[in-house]
Amino acid sequence: MRGKLIKGVGGLYSVYCDGQIYQTKARGRFRKDKLKPIIGDNVQFVPAAGGEDFGAIDEIEARKNSFIRPPVANIDLMLVVMAAASPEPDLLLADKLLLETKIKNVETVVVINKCDLCDQENIARQYRLSGYRVIMTSAKEGIGLEELKDAMMGKTVAYAGQSGVGKSSLLNAIADLQLETGNVSRIQRGKHTTRHVELISFGKDTWLADTPGFSLYENDMIDPQELKNFYHEFLPYDGKCRFLGCNHISEPGCAVKEAVQNGLIAEERMERYALIYDELKEKWSKRYD
């Protein structure tokens, strides 16, 4: 039988297939091959026979994408969530998350929650100029929830962002999932409330990944020379810079920098691009240490 792995705790895996959930364990050969099932995997499995407590996962199908921290696979849509206020938006973290979804070729929507607290049109403008869909929401006031729900339907969805931005509150407001939430502490750090990865059914062919993490994030190692290729807003200027291989940092005759000056690319996002470039450059120089 073929199913989707929706939960795993202590070596026991819940597999969804045709409206039923089967309890399974992974075959011992997966451990020998150093391959571990992760939430979101599509698997071939044998259900428990008479007298058996658990079925067995026979095969893990090829993953279209996967994340290490937290471990989750086959994500169709990533919601990068930030708060308009409380906590203050961490746009550098948001850009790192967007970079990772671009590398893994995952569709992404930027969600600005708590928009009832203050106007963050400047942040929305930055990401719209970057080619991202932006949805303004308020879990408390019910703003933008239908638009967000429509974007999620028919997909396996994960959400990422700082703690305390209201990720679980949003999903509770949309689907009454009763996810545990935490208030933002006095030092403006949200409380981690989700402790394991689990896919939650949300309508036909729609799954929500309730995950710990996706908040304090470091990108995987990539060559800093490749960074520019993952910024959608740079693509119209490809090949138009004075120097072949321009990284759009400090090179003269840079078409991207000119676009920033003309207001076609957000200056703030360009500044964060330079910070990420410098971080990657330092990591890359130490890759053999």
Side-chain angles (χ1 to χ4, degrees):
M1 300 175 69
R2 181 179 189 269
K4 181 181 284 290
L5 202 162
I6 63 171
K7 187 177 181 179
V9 178
L12 182 64
Y13 298 97
S14 301
V15 178
Y16 176 89
C17 176
D18 294 332
Q20 295 189 53
I21 296 176
Y22 298 83
Q23 301 303 317
T24 65
K25 290 188 174 182
R27 299 283 191 194
R29 60 183 170 82
F30 290 119
R31 195 178 309 111
K32 180 181 177 182
D33 295 338
K34 297 182 178 179
L35 179 62
K36 184 177 181 180
I38 61 176
I39 305 311
D41 275 337
N42 295 312
V43 299
Q44 302 286 339
F45 72 101
V46 177
E52 296 179 341
D53 293 326
F54 309 110
I57 296 175
D58 270 340
E59 180 184 345
I60 300 171
E61 297 182 3
R63 297 162 178 158
K64 71 176 183 178
N65 56 59
S66 64
F67 295 84
I68 298 172
R69 298 175 301 274
V72 62
N74 299 316
I75 297 299
D76 299 314
L77 173 67
M78 182 72 78
L79 304 176
V80 173
V81 186
M82 63 189 75
S86 185
E88 188 73 18
D90 185 344
L91 301 188
L92 183 60
L93 170 63
D95 285 0
K96 289 180 177 181
L97 290 166
L98 292 171
L99 170 61
E100 193 68 14
T101 60
K102 200 74 172 178
I103 291 171
K104 297 184 185 299
N105 197 29
V106 178
E107 179 190 355
T108 310
V109 172
V110 174
V111 180
I112 303 177
N113 193 32
K114 304 185 183 181
C115 68
D116 55 303
L117 297 182
C118 67
D119 178 19
Q120 285 292 6
E121 188 55 41
N122 177 52
I123 293 177
R125 176 190 62 84
Q126 292 181 41
Y127 290 108
R128 287 183 179 124
L129 282 175
S130 302
Y132 289 100
R133 180 180 179 183
V134 178
I135 301 178
M136 309 290 285
T137 64
S138 168
K140 181 180 179 182
E141 300 296 333
I143 299 169
L145 300 185
E146 284 303 314
E147 183 181 0
L148 185 59
K149 184 176 179 179
D150 289 344
M152 295 163 59
M153 296 307 295
K155 300 170 184 175
T156 298
V157 183
Y159 53 99
Q162 295 164 266
S163 294
V165 297
K167 299 184 293 290
S168 293
S169 296
L170 269 178
L171 298 184
N172 285 340
I174 291 172
D176 192 27
L177 296 175
Q178 302 301 316
L179 302 181
E180 187 181 357
T181 62
N183 295 323
V184 179
S185 70
R186 281 181 288 181
I187 57 172
Q188 298 299 296
R189 292 176 183 169
K191 298 176 182 177
H192 292 284
T193 53
T194 304
R195 295 172 178 83
H196 63 268
V197 183
E198 180 178 355
L199 288 186
I200 301 170
S201 180
F202 174 56
K204 181 175 172 55
D205 299 323
T206 305
W207 296 92
L208 305 178
D210 188 26
T211 64
F214 280 135
S215 55
L216 298 175
Y217 196 83
E218 290 297 326
N219 293 106
D220 293 335
M221 178 86 71
I222 63 169
D223 186 338
Q225 304 293 322
E226 297 295 320
L227 178 62
K228 59 182 178 288
N229 298 329
F230 300 106
Y231 277 67
H232 182 271
E233 60 265 51
F234 295 172
L235 296 182
Y237 311 100
D238 188 34
K240 296 182 180 180
C241 296
R242 183 186 304 175
F243 296 106
L244 188 66
C246 178
N247 287 305
H248 320 313
I249 300 296
S250 58
E251 301 90 336
C254 174
V256 169
K257 300 287 267 187
E258 183 179 345
V260 172
Q261 293 172 0
N262 292 333
L264 301 175
I265 294 174
E267 182 177 1
E268 302 93 332
R269 184 154 149 89
M270 195 69 194
E271 291 171 353
R272 298 191 298 274
Y273 164 80
L275 290 174
I276 294 173
Y277 178 86
D278 287 343
E279 285 183 16
L280 288 174
K281 190 175 180 180
E282 182 176 357
K283 288 171 64 176
W284 189 256
S285 69
K286 298 177 181 178
R287 66 192 184 279
Y288 299 123
D289 290 356

